[in-house]
Amino acid sequence: MNVTVISRNNMDFLMGEDKSAGQMVDFLNSGAMYRTFGQVLTRAYPGKDLKEKLEDGMTRVTGDDRSAIVRKVHNWISGKNVPKNRETLFQICFVLGLDETESSRVLGAAADTGIHYRNPRELVYAFGLRKGLSYEEAGRLYRRVEETYVSGRPDTGGRQKAPVYTRTVRDAFAQVENEEELMDFFEEHKGELGELHETAYRKFRELLDRLQKPGDEDCEEGEEKYTMREVVEQYIRMNVPESRKVSDYTLLQRLVKKYWPSETALLNMRSRREDVGRKTMILLYLATEEFDICDDEDLYFSDEDEEDPDTTLEIRLEKMNLFLDSYGMNVLDPGNPFDFLVLYAMRTQEGDFASDRMSEVLGLLFDGEEAEKSSRKNV
């Protein structure tokens, strides 16, 4: 399915007359088009030998039993499931001979983000894809980089450095054309690299603090501090079930729920035990909409943005994409179920909040009858 056709089909539904939460759920279940991992692979590598190339190449680079690889490849292409780790995704990209841009799309289709341009290993892989290296050659190059730069990063003495956006690092990396320049890049930027998104973490803490401390001195009176559990229940969960069991869920429900942050996940992100996820950043962005008056940055909504709903969506989409791109995260994709929900939520009417629209649709999607009863009571 053509990417433009998928996006146009979904966006055409949103524009014009406002759709109710029930209409949105009906469309999500029967009218919306989504990009499966298999479709992403086919778009990235349109050759008729996709299946054979993956089977041969993945057997070679992993050393796994061919019969097991054949089953995995069948499931990937059919859209039944996706690879469970980023290393496998990079192996796929190298095996198919994809370029850096297409590889980032493949990663973003299966994981929470595309290529992580602050992660030393992924930077070397990105360089290898850019220059047409094999997976094995890229691995050897990374070992050289690791021995020279990654293991010996300088001690900053605990000093707080000025934030450097991932986009800035990515732009500098885009100029790298050969191995010598790659080594120079690591020499210059080694203090800014790591497996965690540093600038995203700082923004994550800022947005989270706004929810935990809504009585900030620059805002309304009051100094109530909410626990993480209270923040999750009031702002983040949005009617998405907490249970980890997904065997009874539809494919759509599983796709929407995937990477949805729990209380434990948020605590782990805050303590740096895990990286800040793209879905978490988007949800925090939506949840802090009502506190925009306290923020001077031009990344948030303002009362001046309240035009007709279609114009509102265009403005908010531009701002959301700027927000995501600043932290090295993929922009919103109408062919992704969660992203499409976000687009619907951002097309608010005057006086509405995007997080409220999101919650209403999710309530119907995961527990239709009960959510509909609750909705009627609140009318």
Side-chain angles (χ1 to χ4, degrees):
M1 178 67 69
N2 183 280
V3 172
T4 304
V5 172
I6 292 175
S7 297
R8 185 185 300 119
N9 173 78
N10 295 349
M11 291 304 294
D12 283 350
F13 171 80
L14 287 186
M15 309 307 271
E17 182 181 349
D18 190 44
K19 309 301 189 297
S20 68
Q23 288 175 307
M24 180 63 175
V25 172
D26 288 342
F27 183 74
L28 287 168
N29 282 314
S30 60
M33 297 179 179
Y34 308 120
R35 269 182 282 285
T36 67
F37 184 65
Q39 288 173 331
V40 172
L41 286 179
T42 301
R43 177 179 182 270
Y45 184 86
K48 295 182 179 180
D49 61 338
L50 172 63
K51 179 175 177 293
E52 292 74 16
K53 198 172 185 68
L54 279 174
E55 290 172 351
D56 294 341
M58 292 300 291
T59 299
R60 186 191 77 250
V61 300
T62 65
D64 292 344
D65 179 73
R66 185 178 178 84
S67 61
I69 293 295
V70 168
R71 287 194 297 273
K72 289 180 180 179
V73 169
H74 171 76
N75 289 337
W76 296 339
I77 294 177
S78 66
K80 185 175 181 180
N81 59 36
V82 299
K84 297 186 181 300
N85 63 73
R86 295 177 71 82
E87 193 69 23
T88 300
L89 290 166
F90 274 109
Q91 290 170 345
I92 290 172
C93 295
F94 277 104
V95 163
L96 295 179
L98 304 183
D99 63 21
E100 185 180 351
T101 301
E102 287 292 355
S103 296
S104 194
R105 291 195 186 104
V106 169
L107 264 78
D112 202 20
T113 60
I115 294 173
H116 182 348
Y117 283 96
R118 297 183 89 121
N119 183 312
R121 180 185 292 275
E122 296 200 10
L123 281 164
V124 173
Y125 282 168
F127 173 79
L129 292 162
R130 182 186 300 175
K131 306 307 293 184
L133 303 183
S134 68
Y135 175 71
E136 294 83 358
E137 290 170 332
R140 288 192 290 270
L141 181 58
Y142 174 69
R143 287 189 288 276
R144 177 186 167 195
V145 169
E146 185 179 34
E147 291 172 0
T148 308
Y149 299 115
V150 179
S151 300
R153 265 184 243 148
D155 182 7
T156 62
R159 297 185 301 274
Q160 182 78 355
K161 295 183 63 177
V164 178
Y165 287 109
T166 298
R167 180 176 57 189
T168 302
V169 176
R170 184 187 63 202
D171 290 345
F173 176 72
Q175 307 304 313
V176 174
E177 289 295 330
N178 53 54
E179 290 189 19
E180 182 179 353
E181 292 179 1
L182 180 68
M183 294 303 169
D184 290 342
F185 170 86
F186 275 99
E187 174 64 33
E188 181 179 355
H189 296 278
K190 57 188 175 183
E192 301 162 359
L193 306 179
E195 295 186 1
L196 302 179
H197 288 81
E198 291 295 333
T199 47
Y201 173 72
R202 296 186 191 196
K203 178 56 69 172
F204 162 80
R205 285 302 304 266
E206 176 189 322
L207 297 179
L208 187 61
D209 283 348
R210 294 173 76 188
L211 296 179
Q212 288 194 289
K213 304 172 185 178
D216 188 281
E217 62 181 1
D218 294 328
C219 287
E220 300 175 3
E221 295 182 0
E223 297 182 354
E224 183 176 7
K225 179 178 174 61
Y226 292 105
T227 65
M228 191 69 80
R229 181 67 180 176
E230 290 169 330
V231 167
V232 169
E233 288 301 313
Q234 184 168 343
Y235 298 106
I236 303 300
R237 196 158 72 85
M238 296 185 182
N239 290 315
V240 173
E242 292 184 279
S243 173
R244 294 185 178 182
K245 183 180 178 182
V246 297
S247 58
D248 295 333
Y249 287 176
T250 65
L251 175 60
L252 173 62
Q253 289 171 325
R254 292 199 300 271
L255 290 172
V256 170
K257 183 175 169 60
K258 187 177 183 181
Y259 301 120
W260 202 278
S262 62
E263 177 188 6
T264 299
L266 289 176
L267 288 170
N268 285 340
M269 291 176 198
R270 189 174 65 180
S271 62
R272 308 312 309 274
R273 287 195 291 269
E274 65 179 87
D275 201 6
V276 176
R278 174 180 180 271
K279 184 168 286 186
T280 297
M281 290 292 279
I282 291 174
L283 291 173
L284 286 174
Y285 184 106
L286 295 179
T288 54
E289 176 187 26
E290 57 195 280
F291 305 133
D292 294 339
I293 194 171
C294 306
D295 202 312
D296 293 330
E297 295 183 55
D298 191 31
L299 292 177
Y300 295 92
F301 314 139
S302 69
D303 292 338
E304 295 178 359
D305 293 341
E306 294 297 344
E307 306 287 347
D308 66 274
D310 290 345
T311 303
T312 296
L313 178 57
E314 291 177 6
I315 294 171
R316 291 180 171 179
L317 175 58
E318 182 178 355
K319 291 182 178 180
M320 174 69 87
N321 284 342
L322 175 61
F323 173 83
L324 292 171
D325 187 62
S326 296
Y327 303 105
M329 298 177 177
N330 295 351
V331 298
L332 292 183
D333 172 15
N336 174 291
F338 171 76
D339 287 8
F340 186 53
L341 273 169
V342 173
L343 288 166
Y344 170 80
M346 291 197 303
R347 191 181 179 277
T348 57
Q349 304 293 307
E350 185 174 359
D352 292 337
F353 288 117
S355 56
D356 291 338
R357 280 169 64 93
M358 190 91 159
S359 296
E360 187 177 5
V361 174
L362 289 168
L364 289 172
L365 181 64
F366 284 97
D367 190 13
E369 292 183 6
E370 292 302 315
E372 191 169 4
K373 289 177 184 177
S374 176
S375 178
R376 289 199 196 101
K377 289 179 181 179
N378 294 327
V379 172

